[in-house]
Amino acid sequence: MLHIYCPHCREHREEEEFHVKGQAHIARPLDPDSCTDKEWGEYLFFRKNPRGLHHEIWYHTTGCRKFFNVTRDTVSYEIKEVYKIGEQPQVVAKG
Amino acid sequence: MSQKNRLQSGGRIDRSKALSFSYNGRQYQGYQGDTVASALLANGVDIIGRSFKYSRPRGIVTAGADEPNAILQMGATEATQVPNVRATQQELFNGLVCSATNGWPNADSDMMSILGKVGGKMMPPGFYYKTFMFPQSMWETYEKVIRKAAGFGRSPLENDPDEYDHVNQHCDLMVVGAGPAGLMAALTAARSGARVIIADEQNEFGGHLLSSRERIGGKSAADWVAEIVEELASFPDVMMLPRSTVNGYHDHNFLTIHERRTDHIADKAPTGQVRQRMHRVRAHWVVLATGAQERPLVYGHNDVPGCMVASAVSTYINRYGVVPGKQLVLMTTNDGAYQTALDWADAGREVVAVVDTRANPQGELIEAVRKRGIKVITGSAVIEVSGKKRVSGVTIANIDAKGEKVTGKAHSLMSCDTVASSGGWSPVVHLSCHTGSRPQWNDEIIGFVPGPTVQKQLIAGGINGTYALDKVLAEGVKAGQEAATRLGLTAADTQLPNVRSVREGKAMALFHVPHSKPTSRAPKQFVDYQNDVTAAGIELATREGFESIEHVKRYTAMGFGTDQGKLGNINGMAITAKILGKSIPETGTTVFRPNYTPITFGAIAGRNCDELFDPKRFSAMHKWHVENGAKFEDVGQWKRPWYFPKAGETMQQALDRECKATRESVGILDASTLGKIDIQGKDAREFLSRVYTNAWAKLGVGKCRYGLMCKEDGMVFDDGVTSCLGENHFLMTTTTGGAAGVLEWLELYHQTEWPELEVFFTSVTDHWATMTISGPNSRKLLAELTDIDLDKDGFKFMDWRAGTVAGVPARVFRISFTGELSFEINVQANYGLYVWEKLFEHGAKYNLTPYGTETMHILRAEKGFIIAGQDTDGSVHPFDLGMGWCVGNNKPFSYIGKRGMAREDCVRPNRKQLVGLKTKDPKVVLPEGAQAVANPKQAIPMDMLGHVTSSYWSANLGRSIAMGFVKGGLERMGESVYYPLADGRVIEAEICSPIFLDPKGERQNV
């Protein structure tokens, strides 16, 4: 079970308090109506499934109800960093 | 029966406290300090069960967690039954009741063994799959018989009377195992000021020292342990947990400990005590000091009762004062096991011979054994034992230096009743595997040791392949010091006690003892006792092409028992490697997963039972509903009134009465469970227009509007009415089940996409009690209780007003889910029951009729109103529902769902669309879920056009009504579709508008 630092509560809490919401940094297109079906499909359905570093959104469901980002290693389950929505990751995959 | 194998003195048992217990219906005696296994051995009980597949008699093999055979059914009453209890780990108490898990009619004379004898050769791995595959439909029948024959424990049929709980723990250092390494690590860390938890699966701390005759610092091992334990107990920040198995090591140093608090006292926990406790530990650092388990050797008929692991024999003698036989033959690949011969001889019984597989073993213990006049046969092995229900003798043969074949003739059938074997030791690496680390082979110690890990984990002692006591103690101190340093503490210096080190010779890497016949023709050589996996079975599996160790494991079922192959897996891997001509590291190992030993469901559940597992939610008027005979329905966690039957009424009669009363006079519904979200902020209106499909820009204060909410793919996921309470203040309602999901959805978009919008969301579902009065007399009724002007032109449909109802501050919404004139009264939840009762005081003269969710469903279906989640399933957009009127095309912002609805697939013709359905026979009610077809005579599989989503008997219309999806349905009004049912009937229905009643909507506008 993961031990997750909430950047809003500024404490480590148990995974049971959180929900993972999938890949982070998927911005909603600013003008959806001008997207082709393919572009809209990419935004809606296509997600990375990396072996290694993964940036994902977590929700502090039973805590502060804030969303934030986590960089997690999908092999070792190590959490490399947490950062607020709107910020960019410091730990990124090479290449 | 007397305790014929009990020694007069010695061991950690209290002979002044005799305990009686029942095994297979017979009474036996043991002593305080015994395990069930040691007590059974003391009483000379040889057979402890029958094997899984061949039904061969089996006896106790080990003295610990690795025991494959002595798996008991325990419990004095039906409610306290516990299956698959290891006799080697269950402490004896007075009145304990247990029985062998398998064997029919009993373990001693088992009928199934005939099958094992006759069919043995014919039951290779995969036997059940190969034999009982055809016809496939019969598998369920076969399976019941096979499972019964196979035995294994059973669950209780009554509720567990005991309590279990969970405790969260936090510590600097978690030490797993309280043997010499663990004790030293914990002591050193504690002296350094760390907060320590130390847990051990045994009833006492000390690990193997409890059954050892070694001396530490000039004291007996037991005295030394007692001193360390006493010092550990003096630290306020050290928690010591005996009878506590660390069963799981999870990510981020999270460990689960299964503590058995009263299992050693009685069948049922004493009043007020918790039987078992699960500790959930988050540790900064972990020291694994889990020790090692001895491997037996694999030889012919090695499962006959009397064949044991060498160290277990020593444990029974030294710790429990039990010698499990009269004449011992010891077979070993290493020096350490010679201690067992010394222990046996010191107990005054005969050691027939020590058979060493090495040609020229040299070492202190060997000299000691020889000096005692015990015969040592070198370069040889026990290739086969004789005896059926107990070992009666052994066949010995010379083997080559590599241990691959028998050289010369098998000879000298020696008579004995016990064969102890040792193939070396396997570090207990299980926990280190739980987070994904793979163990690594170490040739030096002939075993797997933990591999690299990302956890903050240290290892010490036997788990590291370190077996000499002086080195084990030193590693424990070092691990404790390193943990302290990593924790930022100043590591304390712990003096190492003086321990005599024993000079040992090199061990031989032998796992599978060769036989003079090839493995496939030799007597059965068991690798995994619990699942009856033999060396020949593994050989066959590889010959059939299962060459990966993971495939061998699954095909033969090796390691799939309740013991997880603790005893046999390494031997099985070594045999696989030998057959494939590979090394063990090349063959690799399977990994162990939680839990280390089986755990009870009680401990997993803890207090999370009944309401504490799944809370029940009640509205403020619940008491009234109960008193008035409501039948309830679960909606999420809510208990909602389903219908209110009167004495003697059937459900349908009650529904008919409720439906008619509402349309003819006035009905009342408890609608408190609908989700309510208070939305405030200067951008609240803008936010609403982005998450709803329709327009919100012009909704004035005092007005309400129905809205549909879609996901980005354009599919409907919730709906409800939102009211404008103030220029920057709205109240959104959601479906009962969708409330939490919608709130999270709103937060997600606000926080991640549009943080620039100033808007705040607060759940107020529980703050308000909501009652809807509906029907032509609802205005008259409400007028008697409110100060709000109810004039039909002043307080219009889709308006809301603040005022009082029955003297209580209220918000009244003129909205309708029935199509009738309706008022939804919201008051603070605390006043809910009071207002509800006031309405009934005044409502009697209007025949005010309470109705539940079922009548609500019928009334709304008569009007063609959808229920999100019933008439939608995440694959329909608003146009599919015929609700294009609720989609705003001219909104400036591209709201959620707009682009999705325009996808190619969403605008294609012939999509499934929601329509009304009238059965040709008005008396017939379509079943919900029935599939529509165009031609019921078409061969199966038919082309399916859609399905029924809502279907009821409408008393108001005097006929059945239904809604459902039909491909291109909105274009097919008046056409017939057919619903073939499982019972062979075919129901014909006509496609129609889903608005069955009052199509112009006049009734709600009066």
Side-chain angles (χ1 to χ4, degrees):
Chain A
M1 192 162 71
L2 305 184
H3 206 206
I4 301 168
Y5 183 84
C6 172
H8 299 283
C9 296
R10 288 185 281 177
E11 276 182 11
H12 276 93
R13 299 290 183 88
E14 296 297 330
E15 185 181 334
E16 289 166 336
E17 293 189 14
F18 302 87
H19 280 167
V20 68
K21 306 302 288 183
Q23 187 182 335
H25 304 296
I26 298 171
R28 189 175 195 263
L30 289 175
D31 185 6
D33 297 344
S34 67
C35 289
T36 63
D37 270 9
K38 186 167 186 304
E39 287 163 346
W40 191 250
E42 293 280 342
Y43 162 66
L44 268 190
F45 303 120
F46 288 85
R47 297 293 181 266
K48 287 179 184 160
N49 184 19
R51 179 185 166 88
L53 292 182
H54 190 226
H55 308 291
E56 44 194 26
I57 294 188
W58 284 75
Y59 181 44
H60 200 173
T61 320
T62 59
C64 62
R65 292 207 284 126
K66 286 283 193 183
F67 291 84
F68 59 96
N69 298 305
V70 168
T71 303
R72 188 175 63 93
D73 188 314
T74 59
V75 178
S76 68
Y77 289 11
E78 284 170 290
I79 290 176
K80 302 292 189 182
E81 62 177 336
V82 298
Y83 53 102
K84 290 179 182 171
I85 296 295
E87 295 174 355
Q88 291 302 310
Q90 302 300 308
V91 184
V92 292
K94 290 182 191 105
Chain B
M1 195 189 270
S2 66
Q3 299 186 40
K4 63 175 190 179
N5 286 332
R6 184 79 72 181
L7 295 171
Q8 291 303 311
S9 62
R12 302 183 66 73
I13 46 164
D14 185 347
R15 288 175 178 75
S16 69
K17 287 183 185 148
L19 307 173
S20 54
F21 68 105
S22 153
Y23 166 69
N24 282 353
R26 283 185 65 174
Q27 291 296 315
Y28 295 92
Q29 296 267 314
Y31 293 125
Q32 184 75 41
D34 262 328
T35 61
V36 174
S38 67
L40 287 172
L41 286 171
N43 284 281
V45 174
D46 293 333
I47 300 174
I48 195 80
R50 288 277 168 167
S51 80
F52 178 68
K53 194 158 131 186
Y54 304 124
S55 232
R56 291 166 68 108
R58 290 283 162 81
I60 294 164
V61 180
T62 76
D66 44 353
E67 174 60 33
N69 291 340
I71 306 297
L72 302 177
Q73 180 78 23
M74 235 184 89
T77 66
E78 183 55 40
T80 53
Q81 291 297 307
V82 183
N84 302 335
V85 174
R86 289 161 308 288
T88 50
Q89 292 193 294
Q90 174 62 48
E91 289 171 66
L92 196 64
F93 57 79
N94 206 35
L96 183 147
V97 178
C98 61
S99 56
T101 292
N102 46 21
W104 180 82
N106 59 60
D108 265 335
S109 50
D110 183 279
M111 291 297 288
M112 294 300 291
S113 65
I114 294 164
L115 180 67
K117 274 183 206 139
V118 177
K121 280 267 187 287
M122 292 179 279
M123 289 172 81
F127 171 74
Y128 291 121
Y129 304 127
K130 287 167 178 166
T131 311
F132 296 104
M133 248 177 98
F134 305 105
Q136 214 171 10
S137 58
M138 282 295 286
W139 170 248
E140 281 185 26
T141 312
Y142 295 142
E143 194 187 11
K144 280 184 195 125
V145 178
I146 292 168
R147 294 238 183 268
K148 185 169 166 23
F152 273 9
R154 65 178 188 86
S155 310
L157 301 170
E158 292 172 13
N159 281 348
D160 191 332
D162 284 319
E163 294 208 347
Y164 302 78
D165 68 9
H166 292 170
V167 176
N168 292 312
Q169 309 280 11
H170 302 266
C171 64
D172 292 330
L173 178 65
M174 170 81 231
V175 179
V176 185
L183 286 174
M184 285 314 246
L187 183 67
T188 305
R191 285 177 177 173
S192 311
R195 295 172 59 234
V196 179
I197 298 175
I198 176 167
D200 193 282
E201 62 182 356
Q202 300 204 67
N203 60 327
E204 296 182 81
F205 280 7
H208 87 268
L209 296 177
L210 296 170
S211 44
S212 164
R213 297 200 284 166
E214 286 164 290
R215 295 187 73 79
I216 304 177
K219 294 182 260 280
S220 76
D223 287 346
W224 180 83
V225 168
E227 272 180 24
I228 303 287
V229 167
E230 196 185 325
E231 185 179 344
L232 277 173
S234 72
F235 292 100
D237 277 344
V238 173
M239 174 181 271
M240 297 158 75
L241 296 172
R243 301 186 178 93
S244 300
T245 308
V246 180
N247 260 317
Y249 188 168
H250 307 271
D251 295 299
H252 300 185
N253 269 11
F254 180 75
L255 300 98
T256 47
I257 308 178
H258 179 210
E259 183 189 12
R260 297 165 298 279
R261 295 172 66 84
T262 71
D263 289 58
H264 62 294
I265 299 173
D267 188 58
K268 182 184 174 313
T271 308
Q273 288 191 40
V274 167
R275 177 165 183 161
Q276 295 178 357
R277 173 170 289 165
M278 184 90 93
H279 297 265
R280 298 148 45 95
V281 183
R282 190 68 76 171
H284 288 299
W285 278 87
V286 168
V287 171
L288 295 180
T290 49
Q293 285 160 344
E294 196 169 22
R295 284 190 299 272
L297 285 162
V298 177
Y299 50 96
H301 292 321
N302 57 340
D303 65 327
V304 176
C307 291
M308 298 176 76
V309 171
S311 59
V313 171
S314 287
T315 297
Y316 286 114
I317 296 170
N318 295 333
R319 182 165 176 192
Y320 300 105
V322 174
V323 198
K326 294 190 180 66
Q327 298 163 296
L328 174 77
V329 169
L330 172 77
M331 168 161 61
T332 181
T333 62
N334 56 78
D335 283 18
Y338 278 76
Q339 183 62 47
T340 300
L342 295 172
D343 292 338
W344 190 279
D346 287 347
R349 305 227 174 153
E350 182 192 353
V351 179
V352 178
V354 175
V355 182
D356 197 317
T357 60
R358 299 169 295 181
N360 186 24
Q362 302 287 338
E364 263 182 64
L365 283 170
I366 300 163
E367 285 156 24
V369 165
R370 283 195 164 120
K371 210 172 285 174
R372 293 284 290 269
I374 295 170
K375 185 173 176 185
V376 176
I377 305 170
T378 57
S380 301
V382 173
I383 61 166
E384 181 179 341
V385 308
S386 50
K388 292 274 183 284
K389 293 184 175 179
R390 176 83 198 207
V391 171
S392 60
V394 293
T395 305
I396 292 172
N398 282 29
I399 58 169
D400 69 343
K402 284 183 168 172
E404 282 175 357
K405 52 181 181 287
V406 169
T407 55
K409 274 187 80 152
H411 54 92
S412 67
L413 198 71
M414 282 179 164
S415 145
C416 66
D417 67 355
T418 306
V419 177
S421 73
S422 173
W425 292 76
S426 296
V428 179
V429 298
H430 302 62
L431 290 173
S432 75
C433 299
H434 287 180
T435 56
S437 160
R438 295 194 88 87
Q440 293 183 333
W441 183 257
N442 181 331
D443 264 329
E444 201 57 40
I445 63 133
I446 316 173
F448 282 101
V449 292
T453 179
V454 297
Q455 306 303 322
K456 291 178 176 172
Q457 167 202 301
L458 303 165
I459 56 174
I463 186 178
N464 203 17
T466 304
Y467 302 132
L469 183 55
D470 52 345
K471 297 200 174 86
V472 167
L473 292 166
E475 279 191 16
V477 171
K478 191 166 154 263
Q481 287 174 333
E482 185 170 350
T485 308
R486 304 272 193 121
L487 287 161
L489 302 166
T490 307
D493 223 6
T494 297
Q495 205 65 35
L496 282 169
N498 195 23
V499 177
R500 209 177 76 82
S501 66
V502 179
R503 180 172 49 81
E504 285 194 7
K506 197 168 161 48
M508 175 175 175
L510 179 67
F511 308 89
H512 176 202
V513 174
H515 195 274
S516 31
K517 294 178 186 167
T519 302
S520 57
R521 292 171 190 276
K524 284 196 164 58
Q525 302 160 329
F526 285 92
V527 176
D528 177 337
Y529 293 101
Q530 201 173 94
N531 278 353
D532 266 354
V533 179
T534 62
I538 294 172
E539 196 177 271
L540 180 65
T542 55
R543 207 162 63 226
E544 291 187 4
F546 296 93
E547 298 194 345
S548 149
I549 191 66
E550 297 285 356
H551 290 161
V552 170
K553 174 183 167 184
R554 279 158 184 79
Y555 191 56
T556 61
M558 177 177 79
F560 274 98
T562 62
D563 60 341
Q564 281 197 40
K566 290 184 181 69
L567 203 62
N569 270 14
I570 305 297
N571 284 337
M573 288 163 205
I575 290 167
T576 308
K578 190 170 84 178
I579 295 164
L580 296 174
K582 291 181 182 173
S583 67
I584 293 176
E586 277 167 351
T587 309
T589 174
T590 56
V591 293
F592 300 97
R593 298 181 207 289
N595 288 308
Y596 174 67
T597 42
I599 180 171
T600 61
F601 280 107
I604 293 170
R607 305 260 168 171
N608 298 323
C609 300
D610 304 322
E611 279 91 343
L612 293 177
F613 174 67
D614 193 12
K616 294 181 182 135
R617 298 177 80 181
F618 305 109
S619 85
M621 288 81 90
H622 186 76
K623 180 169 156 274
W624 191 94
H625 304 326
V626 173
E627 286 166 2
N628 285 271
K631 299 284 180 196
F632 290 90
E633 148 174 77
D634 290 344
V635 183
Q637 291 170 331
W638 289 102
K639 299 287 169 193
R640 294 196 72 179
W642 188 18
Y643 61 101
F644 290 86
K646 288 193 170 169
E649 267 185 343
T650 64
M651 179 174 177
Q652 191 60 53
Q653 286 166 342
L655 298 177
D656 291 353
R657 175 179 51 75
E658 291 172 11
C659 285
K660 284 194 154 169
T662 303
R663 295 241 184 261
E664 286 164 11
S665 181
V666 59
I668 184 165
L669 172 78
D670 181 351
S672 304
T673 64
L674 283 183
K676 294 177 272 292
I677 301 172
D678 187 277
I679 303 176
Q680 300 191 38
K682 70 177 172 56
D683 298 314
R685 188 182 293 274
E686 171 63 21
F687 192 90
L688 286 175
S689 71
R690 294 185 184 189
V691 295
Y692 273 131
T693 58
N694 48 341
W696 294 85
K698 291 180 184 143
L699 187 73
V701 177
K703 297 283 182 188
C704 315
R705 182 165 291 168
Y706 173 79
L708 271 183
M709 219 177 261
C710 291
K711 296 234 156 158
E712 290 281 19
D713 58 4
M715 302 304 161
V716 172
F717 94 102
D718 208 81
D719 70 341
V721 170
T722 292
S723 308
C724 183
L725 303 183
E727 189 47 40
N728 299 325
H729 190 185
F730 294 82
L731 181 72
M732 174 186 281
T733 61
T734 72
T735 57
T736 298
V742 170
L743 180 61
E744 183 174 321
W745 178 250
L746 302 177
E747 290 284 6
L748 174 69
Y749 271 81
H750 179 230
Q751 293 180 34
T752 64
E753 291 295 345
W754 312 312
E756 69 279 8
L757 298 185
E758 190 182 300
V759 57
F760 304 90
F761 312 96
T762 309
S763 168
V764 293
T765 303
D766 295 295
H767 303 45
W768 297 91
T770 305
M771 49 210 94
T772 304
I773 51 171
S774 194
N777 283 324
S778 57
R779 182 181 283 120
K780 272 192 245 169
L781 168 60
L782 182 56
E784 292 182 23
L785 285 157
T786 188
D787 59 358
I788 299 169
D789 182 359
L790 300 180
D791 177 68
K792 72 181 174 71
D793 298 316
F795 185 4
K796 289 189 190 138
F797 181 55
M798 297 308 276
D799 283 354
W800 77 272
R801 295 288 179 267
T804 62
V805 174
V808 173
R811 290 174 182 162
V812 178
F813 300 79
R814 199 184 149 188
I815 55 180
S816 177
F817 196 40
T818 60
E820 296 296 327
L821 173 67
S822 297
F823 297 92
E824 195 185 284
I825 303 159
N826 283 259
V827 296
Q828 275 185 50
N830 290 352
Y831 291 119
L833 184 58
Y834 171 78
V835 175
W836 179 273
E837 284 175 340
K838 280 286 168 196
L839 284 164
F840 272 91
E841 272 176 33
H842 290 257
K845 55 185 167 295
Y846 304 111
N847 184 32
L848 177 64
T849 301
Y851 64 89
T853 50
E854 194 64 22
T855 289
M856 174 187 83
H857 283 197
I858 299 169
L859 295 173
R860 65 89 202 183
E862 288 172 351
K863 288 291 297 174
F865 295 146
I866 63 155
I867 290 184
Q870 176 166 345
D871 301 299
T872 69
D873 61 3
S875 73
V876 295
H877 57 55
F879 294 95
D880 294 334
L881 295 167
M883 294 174 75
W885 53 268
C886 199
V887 176
N889 283 320
N890 301 319
K891 298 205 289 178
F893 191 89
S894 184
Y895 57 87
I896 299 172
K898 184 184 181 196
R899 178 63 187 84
M901 269 179 248
R903 285 179 298 144
E904 190 183 334
D905 186 62
C906 293
V907 296
R908 69 175 162 80
N910 216 27
R911 279 181 68 84
K912 289 178 182 173
Q913 293 167 325
L914 190 71
V915 292
L917 297 162
K918 274 186 190 164
T919 50
K920 284 283 172 192
D921 178 351
K923 297 268 178 289
V924 174
V925 180
L926 279 165
E928 288 173 358
Q931 292 286 334
V933 300
N935 172 15
K937 299 210 165 64
Q938 191 188 354
I940 293 170
M942 302 184 190
D943 294 321
M944 293 183 287
L945 304 177
H947 65 280
V948 177
T949 59
S950 294
S951 180
Y952 311 94
W953 173 257
S954 164
N956 288 307
L957 294 161
R959 62 155 301 133
S960 71
I961 56 168
M963 290 153 71
F965 286 97
V966 176
K967 279 184 182 170
L970 293 171
E971 310 280 296
R972 301 178 59 178
M973 291 295 152
E975 291 181 22
S976 275
V977 281
Y978 300 87
Y979 294 88
L981 304 182
D983 62 10
R985 284 186 300 149
V986 175
I987 300 175
E988 183 183 353
E990 182 192 315
I991 299 173
C992 61
S993 158
I995 308 173
F996 296 94
L997 187 134
D998 184 26
K1000 290 186 182 156
E1002 287 160 343
R1003 298 177 70 96
Q1004 65 199 9
N1005 280 320
V1006 293

